[in-house]
Every structure is written in structure tokens, then in C-alpha cells.
Amino acid sequence: MIGNLKPLEIILIIAVILLLFGAKKLPDMARSLGKSARILKSEAKAMKKDDAAAATPTTETVAEPAPPQSTTARTIQAAPGDVTSSRPVNEPKPTTQA
């Protein structure tokens, strides 16, 4: 269906989008769409890596206890090159000098 579009129809669609959203908002919308795509891609890679790590066979014996789980919370990091939405993971505590 999308492959059957003729050049005139594509130009008409672009003109309607320009009229609806305006030329000033389109770059911002495209930028935010790109950021969302990068975040989605990095999260999908992280999920695949987590699944691959969980699927690796381990040789555990009955007498050997399971290692303790880490108590640190997972954080979502910003996509590479995205400095506007990045935030510090752990804020340093202010130190007072007497």
C-alpha cells in the first residue's frame, strides 16, 4: 500500500503535514522521534543481553548455594549523544568543612 504512492501523492502528504504542524515544530518532532528510536533500540539491546545472560547454562551443585543478588537498582541511561535528558545516577552528597 505504501509502496504504491506516486510522487504527487507524497508531495501532497508532505504539504498537509506542513500545514498541520508548521515548519517550526517539524524539526523538534523529528528530533524527539529520533531520540525515542535510539532509546528503544538501546533498551531492546539491553533486554536481549539480559536474556542471553539468563539463558547460558550453568553447572550448579546441590551443596553450592546461589550467589546473592545485587541490591543496586537498575537505571535507564540516556542514549549516546543525548545530553538534554541525561541526569546523574547518584547525586553526590554535599560535604561541609568545619
Side-chain angles (χ1 to χ4, degrees):
M1 171 150 172
I2 294 177
N4 295 335
L5 292 177
K6 295 180 176 67
L8 182 61
E9 294 170 343
I10 294 173
I11 291 172
L12 182 64
I13 291 170
I14 291 172
V16 169
I17 290 173
L18 277 172
L19 288 174
L20 287 175
F21 296 109
K24 290 185 179 182
K25 287 191 177 185
L26 284 178
D28 293 334
M29 291 172 57
R31 194 173 298 118
S32 65
L33 182 65
K35 286 180 185 178
S36 300
R38 279 194 303 266
I39 291 171
L40 180 66
K41 184 178 178 181
S42 66
E43 287 298 316
K45 283 183 181 179
M47 288 177 62
K48 285 182 182 178
K49 188 168 62 170
D50 287 346
D51 288 343
T56 56
T58 59
T59 57
E60 293 184 27
T61 61
V62 177
E64 185 178 324
Q69 295 291 332
S70 175
T71 59
T72 59
R74 291 184 59 195
T75 57
I76 297 175
Q77 296 178 351
D82 180 20
V83 294
T84 58
S85 65
S86 62
R87 58 186 181 273
V89 177
N90 293 327
E91 295 183 16
K93 295 181 180 177
T95 57
T96 57
Q97 295 178 353

